[in-house]
């Protein structure tokens, strides 16, 4: 296997890891107005992702960094074609991070409500934007033979981008519900289980449709099998959550994303940006990558740094592995009075 292929696989793994780990963060935040009907419930939901969300965002930074360093031609084509989704993703991530920090600095009912709404809004925008960017690059962007966007500023916001955005958001919401059912006790756990039981089959449709369209365009027998694994994992999730078996349900729902992402990246290989105008304008890894020498240096650097990152994240998940219960409301917070953080 040549280094260009190794780094294409590495980029695919990084994006999949981000969607898998940050997916339940996005989902828990998006479900705050749905499941978190009481202040104590919303606080419990945020506590479940509190120690994890910023570490999970490291996968986004490394995925974008790997694209920039290993495939500058991919980055140079992708970014100008999708300025709007990328700007929205940055905006959503920034306001989300600020809201996480500020919400806990002061406590009144109005303050908590305001920053909870900002967390929800930022998470929805980021999930939709990331999905739109990945959907557009794998299903087709309006780029010409020089890799330049054809059309105005909104030309990149195609049906493919919309499908990718809806797919990531829908997947993340069920992912968040299953995570809450696995991680919490009490009314939040019951409500999360009910949400996942009701919506898991429907929420998987956009993701399976995205992977299926890429498969029909350029897939192989192997990627067809992967798509079938993803579809069967959806049924396994639904069956497990109906039996109140949260652990198997979480594992099966993770397999849905792993198999779907493997189908998409495996079917689209060796293309990194698909042109919706003419297949001859597709950007391949050979056209987009840096030299073998640079890829060799990057491989050594990743070989040293990657185990450290994986070890840190595994340790974090192990430390915060226990189920959480809602904390009783104090008279001050229940009445909306100010409490010093």
């Amino acid at each position: 296997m040549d280094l260009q292929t190794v780094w294409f696989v590495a980029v695919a793994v990084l994006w999949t890891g981000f969607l898998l780990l940050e997916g339940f963060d996005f989902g828990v935040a998006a479900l705050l107005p749905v499941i978190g009907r009481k202040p104590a419930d919303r606080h419990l939901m945020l506590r479940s992702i509190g120690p994890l969300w910023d570490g999970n965002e490291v996968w986004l930074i490394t995925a974008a960094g790997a694209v920039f360093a290993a495939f500058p031609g991919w980055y140079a084509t992708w970014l100008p074609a999708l300025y709007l989704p990328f700007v929205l993703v940055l905006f959503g991530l920034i306001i989300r991070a600020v809201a996480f920090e500020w919400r806990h600095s002061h406590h009144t009912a109005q303050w908590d409500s305001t920053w909870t709404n900002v967390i929800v809004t930022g998470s929805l925008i980021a999930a939709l934007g990331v999905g739109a960017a990945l959907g557009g690059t794998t299903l087709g962007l309006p780029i010409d033979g020089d890799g330049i966007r054809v059309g105005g500023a909104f030309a990149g916001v195609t049906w493919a981008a919309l499908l990718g955005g809806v797919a990531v958001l829908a997947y993340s919401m069920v992912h968040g519900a299953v995570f809450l059912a696995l991680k919490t006790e009490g009314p939040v756990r019951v409500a999360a289980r009910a949400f996942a039981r009701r919506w898991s089959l429907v929420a998987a449709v956009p993701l399976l449709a995205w992977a299926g369209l890429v498969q029909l365009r350029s897939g192989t027998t192997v990627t067809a099998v992967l798509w079938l694994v993803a579809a069967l994992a959806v049924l396994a999730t639904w069956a497990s959550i109906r039996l109140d078996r949260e652990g198997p349900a979480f594992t099966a729902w993770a397999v849905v994303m792993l198999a779907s992402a493997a189908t998409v990246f495996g079917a689209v290989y060796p293309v990194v940006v698909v042109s919706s105008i003419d297949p001859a304008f597709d950007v391949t890894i050979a056209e987009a990558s840096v030299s073998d020498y640079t890829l060799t240096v990057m491989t050594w650097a990743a070989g040293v740094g990657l185990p450290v990152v994986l070890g840190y994240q595994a340790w974090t998940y192990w430390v915060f592995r226990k189920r959480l219960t809602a904390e009783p409301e104090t008279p001050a917070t229940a009445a909306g009075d100010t409490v010093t953080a």
Side-chain angles (χ1 to χ4, degrees):
M1 183 183 294
D2 59 79
L3 285 174
Q4 293 170 341
T5 302
V6 168
W7 274 94
F8 178 83
V9 173
V11 169
V13 169
L14 290 168
W15 279 112
T16 305
F18 170 72
L19 294 173
L20 191 62
L21 297 177
E22 189 76 345
F24 65 73
D25 289 349
F26 288 151
V28 170
L31 291 172
L32 281 167
V34 180
I35 294 177
R37 295 173 182 172
K38 298 179 180 178
D41 293 342
R42 291 193 290 273
H43 185 59
L44 174 62
M45 293 170 70
L46 291 173
R47 282 172 56 211
S48 71
I49 59 173
L52 308 174
W53 69 270
D54 49 355
N56 292 338
E57 284 189 358
V58 170
W59 288 78
L60 174 63
I61 297 170
T62 52
V67 171
F68 175 76
F71 302 105
W74 180 356
Y75 191 85
T77 303
W78 198 24
L79 187 64
L82 288 166
Y83 268 134
L84 183 59
F86 281 122
V87 169
L88 289 175
V89 168
L90 285 176
F91 175 74
L93 292 175
I94 289 171
I95 64 172
R96 183 171 178 263
V98 170
F100 269 119
E101 298 298 330
W102 284 26
R103 188 181 186 280
H104 298 293
S105 65
H106 183 70
H107 289 293
T108 65
Q110 183 62 39
W111 181 269
D112 287 353
S113 174
T114 298
W115 291 109
T116 298
N117 290 335
V118 176
I119 291 173
V120 174
T121 304
S123 299
L124 292 174
I125 291 173
L128 286 169
V130 169
L134 293 175
T137 195
T138 54
L139 286 171
L141 290 172
I143 57 171
D144 61 18
D146 296 321
I148 298 174
R149 183 188 67 215
V150 177
F154 294 93
V157 186
T158 61
W159 66 267
L162 295 175
L163 176 60
V166 172
V168 169
L169 179 59
Y171 174 86
S172 297
M173 292 186 73
V174 171
H175 200 24
V178 178
F179 176 78
L180 286 170
L182 182 69
K183 188 70 180 172
T184 63
E185 295 278 10
V188 170
R189 182 185 183 187
V190 174
R193 267 199 315 236
F195 183 92
R197 197 160 44 232
R198 175 176 295 180
W199 294 107
S200 55
L201 294 179
V202 176
V205 171
L207 183 60
L208 292 177
W210 173 9
L213 288 171
V214 180
Q215 167 64 24
L216 290 174
R217 183 181 188 272
S218 54
T220 64
T221 303
V222 173
T223 52
V225 172
L226 289 169
W227 186 90
L228 183 60
V229 170
L232 292 174
V234 174
L235 297 177
T237 305
W238 181 73
S240 298
I241 204 68
R242 281 182 65 83
L243 297 173
D244 296 339
R245 300 179 63 193
E246 292 105 350
F250 187 83
T251 303
W253 195 247
V255 171
V256 173
M257 175 53 74
L258 292 172
S260 298
T263 302
V264 169
F265 284 105
V268 81
Y269 173 84
V271 173
V272 291
V273 183
V274 176
S275 171
S276 60
I277 297 175
D278 190 329
F281 299 157
D282 290 350
V283 180
T284 66
I285 58 172
E287 297 165 337
S289 72
V290 293
S291 66
D292 280 354
Y293 174 77
T294 304
L295 291 177
T296 301
V297 173
M298 289 174 57
T299 303
W300 280 103
V304 174
L306 187 60
V308 175
V309 174
L310 293 178
Y312 162 76
Q313 283 225 294
W315 176 79
T316 303
Y317 277 83
W318 176 255
V319 169
F320 297 101
R321 67 188 181 281
K322 293 184 177 178
R323 283 186 185 272
L324 301 174
T325 56
E327 296 174 345
E329 292 184 44
T330 64
T333 53
D337 294 337
T338 302
V339 176
T340 304

